[in-house]
Amino acid sequence: MRKNTYHHGDLKNSIIKSCHKLLQKKGMADFTLREVANLSGVSHAAVYRHFQHKDEVLEILSAIGFDRLASLQKKVAKDKKNPDEYFVKLGLVYIQFALKNPNYYKLMFQTKREKESKQLKQSKLKSYAVLVHGCRFYLKAKKRKENHRSFALMSWSLVHGFSNLSLETNFPLSEGKRLNQSQIELAETMLRYAT
């Protein structure tokens, strides 16, 4: 008989933690709920009591990813005396998150969903709001008149594009080598050009 590895009432969190481990290790397409059950120390049927299908779990993990990204970006200290540094650090946090968590990043941004849960919608909005508020702060500190929402979209496109190129191609890495810069140093140079 299999020994339960969770406390009564905590099965759902145990399943999510197991999914997190498998996502980090294998990617979203390469694990099954049967593997999740085995890692959680429960029957396959027990997993289905909490989640109807794998996509439901992946949506929760995606929301967790957006929450983590927002939390990291919120920790970047705002400095009115040096707003350029703030802008660069805000962008670097995004890129570093993508490079350190490629499977989460792909799940968050490369998964099309017909209908999203309320939790995922809220996590996405909160994450984007951190960027929008950061761009508003930056523009105000620089006494620039651009629309902060348009500037936020441009900024997001910049870091998102660099992150995708880094994960999907060798271009940022190879270009960085040609310029004697690491991938992160190249990202920092790019962000400085945008200030």
Side-chain angles (χ1 to χ4, degrees), residues 75-141:
K75 290 178 183 173
V76 177
K78 292 179 178 172
D79 183 357
K80 286 184 179 179
K81 291 181 183 175
N82 200 342
D84 289 344
E85 281 307 304
Y86 167 75
F87 179 80
V88 169
K89 286 178 184 174
L90 193 65
L92 285 177
V93 163
Y94 184 101
I95 292 167
Q96 287 169 328
F97 175 85
L99 296 180
K100 288 178 184 174
N101 304 280
N103 291 334
Y104 257 100
Y105 185 82
K106 289 174 185 176
L107 175 64
M108 291 159 61
F109 291 108
Q110 295 176 1
T111 305
K112 289 184 179 177
R113 294 178 176 88
E114 294 289 320
K115 212 173 179 185
E116 292 181 343
S117 69
K118 186 177 178 182
Q119 179 187 0
L120 180 55
K121 284 179 187 175
Q122 287 176 339
S123 294
K124 280 182 166 184
L125 287 172
K126 283 181 197 172
S127 179
Y128 191 63
V130 174
L131 176 64
V132 171
H133 292 300
C135 288
R136 181 190 293 154
F137 165 82
Y138 171 76
L139 292 171
K140 190 173 179 182

Side-chain angles (χ1 to χ4, degrees), residues 176-189:
K177 285 179 183 175
R178 283 190 198 97
L179 298 168
N180 291 321
Q181 293 183 321
S182 70
Q183 215 167 354
I184 291 299
E185 287 170 335
L186 182 62
E188 186 174 343
T189 300

Side-chain angles (χ1 to χ4, degrees), residues 10-180:
D10 199 28
L11 177 56
K12 190 170 184 176
N13 284 331
S14 177
I15 292 167
I16 291 169
K17 284 178 186 174
S18 296
C19 289
H20 165 77
K21 287 177 187 173
L22 289 170
L23 176 66
Q24 292 286 62
K25 184 178 175 183
K26 300 179 86 172
M28 62 184 166
D30 298 325
F31 74 83
T32 65
L33 287 182
R34 191 169 298 280
E35 288 176 289
V36 171
N38 289 337
L39 192 58
S40 300
V42 298
S43 70
H44 192 224
V47 172
Y48 279 101
R49 280 188 215 116
H50 290 278
F51 302 102
Q52 292 180 0
H53 45 74
K54 180 178 151 183
D55 288 342
E56 190 178 346
V57 183
L58 290 175
E59 195 168 270
I60 290 169
L61 290 175
S62 185
I64 290 169
F66 281 108
D67 291 340
R68 287 182 178 169
L69 176 58
S71 177
L72 289 168
Q73 288 190 301
K74 279 182 185 176
K75 290 178 183 173
V76 177
K78 292 179 178 172
D79 183 357
K80 286 184 179 179
K81 291 181 183 175
N82 200 342
D84 289 344
E85 281 307 304
Y86 167 75
F87 179 80
V88 169
K89 286 178 184 174
L90 193 65
L92 285 177
V93 163
Y94 184 101
I95 292 167
Q96 287 169 328
F97 175 85
L99 296 180
K100 288 178 184 174
N101 304 280
N103 291 334
Y104 257 100
Y105 185 82
K106 289 174 185 176
L107 175 64
M108 291 159 61
F109 291 108
Q110 295 176 1
T111 305
K112 289 184 179 177
R113 294 178 176 88
E114 294 289 320
K115 212 173 179 185
E116 292 181 343
S117 69
K118 186 177 178 182
Q119 179 187 0
L120 180 55
K121 284 179 187 175
Q122 287 176 339
S123 294
K124 280 182 166 184
L125 287 172
K126 283 181 197 172
S127 179
Y128 191 63
V130 174
L131 176 64
V132 171
H133 292 300
C135 288
R136 181 190 293 154
F137 165 82
Y138 171 76
L139 292 171
K140 190 173 179 182
K142 295 282 287 183
K143 296 184 169 75
R144 289 172 54 174
K145 302 293 183 190
E146 291 101 318
N147 180 287
H148 67 279
R149 289 190 174 278
S150 298
F151 190 80
L153 185 56
M154 181 279 300
S155 302
W156 182 37
S157 299
L158 190 66
V159 294
H160 189 70
F162 188 92
S163 297
N164 277 342
L165 283 171
S166 295
L167 295 177
E168 302 298 327
T169 74
N170 287 326
F171 182 73
L173 193 58
S174 61
E175 192 64 13
K177 285 179 183 175
R178 283 190 198 97
L179 298 168
N180 291 321

